[in-house]
Protein backbone atom coordinates (compact mmCIF):
# COMPACT_ATOMS: atom_id res chain seq x y z
CA UNK A 1 0.00 0.00 0.00
CA UNK A 2 2.73 2.42 0.97
CA UNK A 3 4.73 1.61 -2.18
CA UNK A 4 1.66 2.11 -4.39
CA UNK A 5 0.99 5.51 -2.85
CA UNK A 6 4.61 6.58 -3.28
CA UNK A 7 4.63 5.37 -6.90
CA UNK A 8 1.49 7.41 -7.63
CA UNK A 9 3.04 10.48 -6.04
CA UNK A 10 6.21 10.06 -8.11
CA UNK A 11 4.34 9.21 -11.31
CA UNK A 12 6.03 5.84 -11.77
CA UNK A 13 4.53 2.46 -12.44
CA UNK A 14 4.71 0.01 -9.55
CA UNK A 15 5.35 -3.63 -10.38
CA UNK A 16 4.42 -5.79 -7.41
CA UNK A 17 6.42 -8.92 -6.83
CA UNK A 18 7.07 -11.85 -4.56
CA UNK A 19 9.63 -14.63 -4.46
CA UNK A 20 8.10 -18.10 -4.25
CA UNK A 21 9.81 -21.32 -3.17
CA UNK A 22 9.10 -24.47 -5.17
CA UNK A 23 10.50 -27.96 -5.63
CA UNK A 24 11.90 -29.20 -8.91
CA UNK A 25 13.15 -32.81 -9.03
CA UNK A 26 14.02 -32.78 -5.34
CA UNK A 27 15.77 -29.40 -5.43
CA UNK A 28 14.42 -26.19 -3.96
CA UNK A 29 14.19 -23.35 -6.49
CA UNK A 30 12.84 -19.82 -6.37
CA UNK A 31 10.41 -18.27 -8.80
CA UNK A 32 9.75 -14.54 -8.91
CA UNK A 33 6.17 -13.47 -9.52
CA UNK A 34 5.73 -10.02 -11.07
CA UNK A 35 2.19 -8.66 -10.97
CA UNK A 36 0.69 -5.80 -13.02
CA UNK A 37 -1.82 -5.06 -10.26
CA UNK A 38 -2.65 -6.19 -6.74
CA UNK A 39 -2.29 -10.02 -6.66
CA UNK A 40 -5.57 -11.93 -6.51
CA UNK A 41 -6.91 -14.07 -3.68
CA UNK A 42 -5.29 -17.24 -5.07
CA UNK A 43 -1.84 -15.63 -4.76
CA UNK A 44 -2.58 -14.12 -1.35
CA UNK A 45 -3.89 -17.46 -0.04
CA UNK A 46 -0.83 -19.29 -1.40
CA UNK A 47 1.54 -16.79 0.25
CA UNK A 48 -0.33 -17.01 3.56
CA UNK A 49 -0.19 -20.82 3.40
CA UNK A 50 3.54 -20.77 2.65
CA UNK A 51 4.21 -18.37 5.53
CA UNK A 52 2.41 -20.78 7.86
CA UNK A 53 4.44 -23.66 6.38
CA UNK A 54 7.68 -21.70 6.93
CA UNK A 55 6.77 -21.19 10.60
CA UNK A 56 6.11 -24.93 11.00
CA UNK A 57 9.29 -25.77 9.10
CA UNK A 58 11.31 -23.48 11.36
CA UNK A 59 9.84 -25.02 14.53
CA UNK A 60 10.58 -28.51 13.20
CA UNK A 61 14.16 -27.49 12.42
CA UNK A 62 14.58 -26.02 15.93
CA UNK A 63 13.23 -29.25 17.48
CA UNK A 64 15.57 -31.39 15.35
CA UNK A 65 18.52 -29.20 16.31
CA UNK A 66 17.59 -29.68 20.01
CA UNK A 67 17.91 -33.44 19.57
CA UNK A 68 21.52 -32.75 18.52
CA UNK A 69 22.17 -30.65 21.62
CA UNK A 70 21.70 -27.27 19.98
CA UNK A 71 19.47 -25.02 22.02
CA UNK A 72 18.09 -22.11 20.02
CA UNK A 73 14.91 -20.26 20.79
CA UNK A 74 12.96 -18.78 17.88
CA UNK A 75 13.27 -15.43 19.69
CA UNK A 76 17.04 -15.67 19.06
CA UNK A 77 16.46 -15.41 15.33
CA UNK A 78 17.45 -12.06 13.84
CA UNK A 79 14.83 -9.47 13.05
CA UNK A 80 13.87 -9.56 9.40
CA UNK A 81 12.72 -6.11 8.32
CA UNK A 82 10.35 -6.13 5.35
CA UNK A 83 10.22 -9.93 5.47
CA UNK A 84 7.02 -11.52 6.70
CA UNK A 85 8.47 -14.94 7.29
CA UNK A 86 11.72 -16.21 8.72
CA UNK A 87 13.76 -18.53 6.56
CA UNK A 88 16.61 -20.99 6.97
CA UNK A 89 18.94 -18.10 6.15
CA UNK A 90 17.81 -16.45 9.38
CA UNK A 91 18.30 -19.75 11.21
CA UNK A 92 21.86 -20.01 9.84
CA UNK A 93 22.56 -16.48 11.08
CA UNK A 94 21.26 -17.39 14.54
CA UNK A 95 23.38 -20.56 14.66
CA UNK A 96 26.48 -18.53 13.84
CA UNK A 97 25.60 -15.78 16.33
CA UNK A 98 25.13 -18.40 19.08
CA UNK A 99 28.57 -19.86 18.35
CA UNK A 100 27.46 -23.16 16.81
CA UNK A 101 29.30 -22.26 13.60
CA UNK A 102 31.93 -19.75 12.53
CA UNK A 103 29.64 -18.11 9.96
CA UNK A 104 26.18 -18.35 8.42
CA UNK A 105 27.66 -20.21 5.47
CA UNK A 106 29.37 -22.70 7.82
CA UNK A 107 26.11 -23.17 9.75
CA UNK A 108 24.31 -23.82 6.49
CA UNK A 109 26.83 -26.46 5.40
CA UNK A 110 27.03 -28.12 8.80
CA UNK A 111 23.37 -28.18 9.84
CA UNK A 112 20.94 -26.95 7.20
CA UNK A 113 22.00 -28.24 3.80
CA UNK A 114 20.11 -31.06 2.14
CA UNK A 115 20.82 -34.43 3.62
CA UNK A 116 21.39 -33.16 7.16
CA UNK A 117 17.81 -34.08 8.14
CA UNK A 118 17.17 -30.81 9.95
CA UNK A 119 15.08 -28.75 7.53
CA UNK A 120 11.95 -30.32 6.02
CA UNK A 121 11.51 -29.72 2.29
CA UNK A 122 8.61 -27.87 0.71
CA UNK A 123 6.11 -29.89 -1.27
CA UNK A 124 4.91 -27.24 -3.76
CA UNK A 125 6.01 -27.94 -7.32
CA UNK A 126 7.39 -25.35 -9.73
CA UNK A 127 4.45 -26.05 -12.05
CA UNK A 128 2.00 -25.25 -9.23
CA UNK A 129 3.79 -22.00 -8.34
CA UNK A 130 3.78 -20.91 -11.99
CA UNK A 131 0.03 -21.63 -12.08
CA UNK A 132 -0.56 -19.54 -8.95
CA UNK A 133 1.37 -16.61 -10.44
CA UNK A 134 -0.45 -16.85 -13.77
CA UNK A 135 -3.84 -16.98 -12.01
CA UNK A 136 -3.33 -13.31 -11.17
CA UNK A 137 -2.00 -12.26 -14.56
CA UNK A 138 1.57 -12.32 -13.30
CA UNK A 139 4.83 -13.26 -14.95
CA UNK A 140 6.81 -16.21 -13.55
CA UNK A 141 10.59 -15.75 -13.64
CA UNK A 142 13.09 -18.37 -12.44
CA UNK A 143 15.25 -16.62 -9.84
CA UNK A 144 19.03 -17.09 -9.79
CA UNK A 145 19.25 -20.51 -11.46
CA UNK A 146 22.68 -22.04 -11.60
CA UNK A 147 23.97 -23.07 -15.01
CA UNK A 148 23.58 -26.80 -14.37
CA UNK A 149 19.90 -26.57 -13.36
CA UNK A 150 19.22 -24.07 -16.13
CA UNK A 151 20.62 -26.39 -18.80
CA UNK A 152 18.85 -29.42 -17.37
CA UNK A 153 15.40 -27.99 -16.58
CA UNK A 154 14.79 -24.81 -18.57
CA UNK A 155 12.81 -26.55 -21.32
CA UNK A 156 10.66 -28.37 -18.79
CA UNK A 157 9.80 -25.15 -16.94
CA UNK A 158 9.18 -23.34 -20.21
CA UNK A 159 6.70 -26.07 -21.15
CA UNK A 160 4.68 -25.46 -17.95
CA UNK A 161 4.53 -21.70 -18.47
CA UNK A 162 7.75 -20.12 -17.22
CA UNK A 163 7.98 -16.58 -18.60
CA UNK A 164 11.66 -15.81 -18.05
CA UNK A 165 14.85 -16.24 -16.06
CA UNK A 166 16.78 -13.90 -13.82
CA UNK A 167 19.99 -13.58 -15.81
CA UNK A 168 21.98 -11.58 -13.26
CA UNK A 169 22.02 -11.74 -9.47
CA UNK A 170 24.57 -9.69 -7.54
CA UNK A 171 24.42 -11.99 -4.51
CA UNK A 172 25.35 -15.00 -6.61
CA UNK A 173 28.26 -13.20 -8.20
CA UNK A 174 27.17 -12.59 -11.74
CA UNK A 175 25.50 -13.76 -14.87
CA UNK A 176 23.85 -17.09 -15.46
Amino acid sequence: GEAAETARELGVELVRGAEFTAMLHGAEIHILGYFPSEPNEVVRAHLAHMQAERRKRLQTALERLRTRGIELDSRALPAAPYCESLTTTHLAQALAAAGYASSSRAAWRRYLSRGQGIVPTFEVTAKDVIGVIHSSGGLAVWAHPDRQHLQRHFGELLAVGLDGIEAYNGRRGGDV
Side-chain angles (χ1 to χ4, degrees), residues 72 77 87-97 101 103-105 107-108 112:
L72 271 184
L77 297 172
T87 67
T88 51
T89 298
H90 300 108
L91 182 54
Q93 291 168 350
L95 285 163
S103 67
S104 294
R105 184 179 294 264
W108 188 270
L112 306 176

Side-chain angles (χ1 to χ4, degrees), residues 29-41:
I29 67 167
H30 298 122
I31 299 174
L32 304 169
Y34 295 112
F35 303 98
S37 60
E38 189 68 34
N40 68 12
E41 183 54 38

Side-chain angles (χ1 to χ4, degrees), residues 96-151:
Y100 291 107
S102 59
S103 67
S104 294
R105 184 179 294 264
W108 188 270
R109 279 193 307 269
R110 186 171 181 188
Y111 301 109
L112 306 176
S113 63
R114 263 196 96 162
Q116 299 298 325
I118 298 294
V119 181
T121 60
F122 286 108
E123 299 298 325
V124 181
T125 67
K127 179 181 178 181
D128 291 341
V129 166
I130 291 168
V132 166
I133 293 167
H134 285 169
S135 78
S136 193
L139 295 175
V141 175
W142 190 359
H144 47 78
D146 62 42
R147 285 184 193 274
Q148 181 182 14
H149 280 104
L150 183 62
Q151 290 171 343

Side-chain angles (χ1 to χ4, degrees), residues 61-103:
L62 289 170
E63 290 167 14
R64 290 176 178 176
L65 285 167
R66 265 187 227 101
T67 66
R68 294 186 179 186
I70 297 171
E71 292 295 329
L72 271 184
D73 189 301
S74 60
R75 292 173 291 199
L77 297 172
Y82 306 108
C83 180
E84 294 188 29
S85 58
L86 294 172
T87 67
T88 51
T89 298
H90 300 108
L91 182 54
Q93 291 168 350
L95 285 163
Y100 291 107
S102 59
S103 67

Side-chain angles (χ1 to χ4, degrees), residues 19-23 28-31 46 50 54 122 124 129:
E19 186 167 344
F20 297 77
T21 300
M23 296 303 291
E28 192 174 288
I29 67 167
H30 298 122
I31 299 174
H46 177 83
M50 292 309 295
R54 281 191 182 279
F122 286 108
V124 181
V129 166

Side-chain angles (χ1 to χ4, degrees), residues 2-16:
E2 190 176 320
E5 184 179 320
T6 301
R8 273 192 302 280
E9 290 171 5
L10 295 174
V12 297
E13 182 180 359
L14 173 68
V15 177
R16 292 157 178 85

